Amino acid sequence: PRIQYHDLHPTPADLAAEVLAGLRQKPRCIPPKFFYDAEGSRLFDAITRLPEYYPTRTEMGILQTHAPEIAARVGTGALLVEPGGATPAKARLLFDGLQPCAYVPMDISRDHLWVAAEQVAAEYPWLEVHAACTDFTRLLELPPNTPPGVRVAFFPGSSIGNFNPDDAVAFLTTVAELVGPGGYLLIGVDLKKDPERLEAAYDDADGVTAAFNLNLLRRINRELGADFDLQAWRHQVRYNAEHGRVEMHLASVRPQAVQLAGERFEFDAGETIHTENSYKYHVDEFQALARRAGFWPDAVWLDPDALFSVQLLAV
Ligand code: AVI
């Protein structure tokens, strides 16, 4: 069989507990992982096609252009492991050059993972697919029966930017342990640039990112029976230069109270709920972070405008 499924039975995140804990804090926050219900996933997909949101198309251009060099460095016959591999559009750009011995997508979303695994297996009949349903932030381990080969982890999209730097080091440390000595990490990292360009990427003219951010409150209303008035919150984006991150917030347009799970939360006019950080790095800053996790910089590829980087790191 060309596809093997391994269900590592991830525990679903506790929306109620995490939202209540985040709203009890000041400043208030809600973790960005809760953006991705069905509607949030659809909106994120639309974001990746926006003219202002340069990361997706820029990274795909880099991967396409440099696939032969990536293959030359890593060698063919590697075991390609993709945490978050439920949307393999980017891994596809690597398969022909890399000729991996197997592809191991890992994701917490069972349905997305299974669909993606079937599509890849249909499109690449020569490729073994070992799909693992797991919360890779908590359990990053290879499923049984994966063939031997140099292990190459692939983590595109600058998803690493949604971790704060200490959590990024902790996660990358588990990746270094997974791939082991001789293994690699190929990672997409968004670069520091003009704050106006960054803010536009997270505050597009069509309001798709605003809808994505506000959908979090819609989800909380639906799943937790809260009574957020969606007209009374605004999408807010700021580049925080001190921390080198784009922040997304939801700002209360007036003083208001919200009921959630029997608790009452009062918000001042202008008070915000912090919903996401997206850290941006200089190439050397990210290399320093990766070194803390046990990696050595091997190669870096940029687009011609130096907007985005694809970095190869070795253990
Ligand atoms: C998934 N992640 C890398 C995106 C980012 O750019 O931080 C999420 C996103 N949030 C708003 N736009 C896109």
Side-chain angles (χ1 to χ4, degrees):
R2 283 289 162 215
I3 310 184
Q4 294 194 26
Y5 293 118
H6 300 278
D7 198 331
L8 303 175
H9 302 286
T11 321
D14 189 339
L15 178 71
E18 294 199 43
V19 169
L20 283 170
L23 291 182
R24 286 175 190 142
Q25 285 175 29
K26 294 250 182 153
R28 311 198 202 242
C29 58
I30 298 175
K33 65 181 174 200
F34 295 120
F35 281 136
Y36 303 93
D37 63 355
E39 176 65 1
S41 300
R42 189 192 69 77
L43 287 165
F44 178 66
D45 206 57
I47 287 172
T48 64
R49 288 189 296 268
L50 291 170
E52 295 95 334
Y53 194 76
Y54 60 86
T56 309
R57 83 182 88 84
T58 307
E59 182 180 46
M60 291 183 77
I62 298 170
L63 290 169
Q64 204 147 28
T65 306
H66 299 287
E69 286 163 74
I70 295 168
R73 294 218 158 240
V74 165
T76 53
L79 183 71
L80 187 65
V81 183
E82 184 176 1
T87 42
K90 292 169 183 171
R92 273 196 183 96
L93 300 172
L94 299 172
F95 292 150
D96 286 328
L98 222 50
Q99 293 285 310
C101 67
Y103 174 56
V104 186
M106 299 178 164
D107 203 85
I108 192 166
S109 166
R110 206 165 270 119
D111 297 348
H112 289 151
L113 180 71
W114 288 177
V115 169
E118 305 271 352
Q119 282 174 352
V120 167
E123 210 179 321
Y124 298 88
W126 51 266
L127 183 61
E128 262 183 49
V129 179
H130 297 248
C133 182
T134 182
D135 176 354
F136 64 78
T137 62
R138 289 197 240 174
L139 183 67
L140 190 69
E141 76 185 23
L142 283 182
N145 306 325
T146 49
V150 170
R151 293 175 182 178
V152 180
F154 181 47
F155 199 55
S158 206
S159 295
I160 198 65
N162 298 131
F163 293 68
N164 73 46
D166 286 340
D167 290 346
V169 170
F171 171 65
L172 294 180
T173 302
T174 67
V175 175
E177 283 164 3
L178 176 90
V179 299
Y184 293 94
L185 168 63
L186 184 67
I187 186 167
V189 182
D190 196 14
L191 299 176
K192 286 200 165 120
K193 61 183 62 63
D194 170 19
E196 267 174 45
R197 177 111 201 217
L198 284 171
E199 286 176 355
Y202 292 82
D203 195 8
D204 61 281
D206 283 348
V208 180
T209 313
F212 173 73
N213 199 5
L214 284 157
N215 180 59
L216 194 53
L217 301 183
R218 195 186 303 272
R219 176 180 188 182
I220 291 166
N221 281 350
R222 187 183 63 241
E223 292 188 31
L224 304 179
D227 62 353
F228 279 101
D229 173 2
L230 296 182
Q231 302 305 315
W233 295 87
R234 291 282 172 275
H235 173 59
Q236 202 179 78
V237 171
R238 19 179 139 125
Y239 180 64
N240 181 330
E242 188 196 337
H243 289 105
R245 66 191 191 204
V246 176
E247 299 179 1
M248 292 208 311
H249 296 258
L250 289 162
S252 174
V253 301
R254 52 170 165 81
Q256 58 181 313
V258 173
Q259 294 282 345
L260 201 172
E263 216 167 305
R264 183 183 155 90
F265 295 92
E266 290 183 0
F267 298 91
D268 299 329
E271 189 175 353
T272 73
I273 304 172
H274 188 175
T275 52
E276 187 182 61
N277 288 320
S278 197
Y279 282 83
K280 309 300 170 186
Y281 293 95
H282 291 301
V283 167
D284 59 338
E285 280 177 335
F286 190 76
Q287 289 178 334
L289 185 143
R291 281 179 205 271
R292 288 168 57 200
F295 285 105
W296 294 96
D298 187 290
V300 180
W301 296 279
L302 308 182
D303 57 294
D305 298 322
L307 297 176
F308 199 93
S309 67
V310 171
Q311 308 199 19
L312 184 65
L313 304 161
V315 175

